[in-house]
Amino acid sequence: GAGVSQTPSNKVTEKGKYVELRCDPISGHTALYWYRQSLGQGPEFLIYFQGTGAADDSGLPNDRFFAVRPEGSVSTLKIQRTERGDSAVYLCASSPNGPRYGYTFGSGTRLTVV
Amino acid sequence: QKEVEQNSGPLSVPEGAIASLNCTYSDRVSQSFFWYRQYSGKSPELIMSIYSNGDKEDGRFTAQLNKASQYVSLLIRDSQPSDSATYLCAVENYGGSQGNLIFGKGTKLSVKP
């Protein structure tokens, strides 16, 4: 596609529920990143995919968070047993090959856990 | 813990003035540096990248890098009200997988007409 597409744009869920956030990167971009951004903070790194594999998942805060990219294109971020502290904007970004030249962000998914 | 530090602001400048935004980083081996602009409620947008010491100009924007001082800056000349946004400094994480950028908290810029 022309840009990075994220769905849904907004998600409200109850504490303890499971959520999935989807990211469709720019066509041909092999590198895909998930970040989350809380109010007044910069984006915080979660996980980086190069192709189908997670090259670096060191930013995932705990084992409730998991992400996949089975065919090297679309990625899904999965959060189990959501907590109110998970509320944030979840940003996806992609780049042709790594961060060297920066990357393009999608419009984000605003997750609210009530 | 690798860090990127920015003054959170707000930085207020009059229309037509030069806005100067500053950033320091902790990882001495970092090689790639970026400035992103983020309008309220929107996602970050890449506006400048710099890799070598010195200045890099693009229109009204100039990025400056001093690796010895671990310092990056962004100058916006002839500031316009449409430049009002939060400016995020980002530095390539040169350790581990070398696969991500570390962001500062951002500096909020307000350009007054």
Side-chain angles (χ1 to χ4, degrees):
Chain A
V4 179
S5 176
Q6 290 189 248
T7 54
S9 56
N10 280 285
K11 176 72 176 178
V12 180
T13 190
E14 292 180 347
K15 180 176 177 294
K17 298 290 188 183
Y18 167 83
V19 296
E20 291 189 350
L21 312 179
R22 175 188 167 104
C23 174
D24 195 348
I26 293 172
S27 179
H29 281 193
T30 61
L32 184 146
Y33 312 82
W34 284 98
Y35 281 74
R36 72 177 175 181
Q37 187 174 26
S38 300
L39 195 62
Q41 303 295 313
E44 172 192 8
F45 171 72
L46 296 176
I47 187 169
Y48 156 50
F49 287 90
Q50 185 61 260
T52 60
D56 184 356
D57 64 358
S58 62
L60 295 177
N62 52 59
D63 62 5
R64 296 187 296 105
F65 288 75
F66 189 70
V68 296
R69 194 186 184 196
E71 298 179 357
S73 177
V74 171
S75 175
T76 304
L77 178 65
K78 307 180 181 192
I79 310 174
Q80 298 177 320
R81 305 183 303 281
T82 52
E83 299 177 357
R84 292 195 178 88
D86 299 334
S87 297
V89 175
Y90 288 80
L91 295 165
C92 178
S94 71
S95 70
N97 185 16
R100 167 79 177 163
Y101 300 106
Y103 32 73
T104 303
F105 282 95
S107 55
T109 293
R110 181 176 297 277
L111 175 66
T112 304
V113 182
V114 297
Chain B
Q1 181 77 358
K2 298 174 185 176
E3 293 183 337
V4 176
E5 299 285 345
Q6 294 182 257
N7 187 324
S8 62
L11 173 65
S12 184
V13 300
E15 184 174 356
I18 296 175
S20 178
L21 305 160
N22 305 314
C23 170
T24 59
Y25 59 94
S26 64
D27 189 359
R28 187 170 292 278
V29 300
S30 293
Q31 300 293 317
S32 307
F33 307 87
F34 307 89
W35 284 98
Y36 282 79
R37 178 176 62 199
Q38 186 171 29
Y39 291 114
S40 181
K42 303 294 186 183
S43 60
E45 170 194 11
L46 179 63
I47 55 171
M48 288 288 287
S49 59
I50 187 166
Y51 307 98
S52 304
N53 281 328
D55 295 0
K56 178 182 177 183
E57 186 173 319
D58 184 359
R60 296 186 296 111
F61 299 98
T62 298
Q64 299 175 316
L65 174 61
N66 183 326
K67 291 184 181 179
S69 299
Q70 295 174 238
Y71 177 89
V72 192
S73 66
L74 179 70
L75 300 178
I76 306 174
R77 290 182 300 282
D78 188 24
S79 296
Q80 301 297 309
S82 59
D83 295 326
S84 298
T86 295
Y87 289 80
L88 298 162
C89 174
V91 175
E92 183 180 5
N93 181 8
Y94 215 67
S97 71
Q98 301 182 18
N100 67 82
L101 302 184
I102 301 172
F103 285 82
K105 293 183 178 181
T107 298
K108 187 171 184 177
L109 172 66
S110 178
V111 181
K112 303 295 187 184

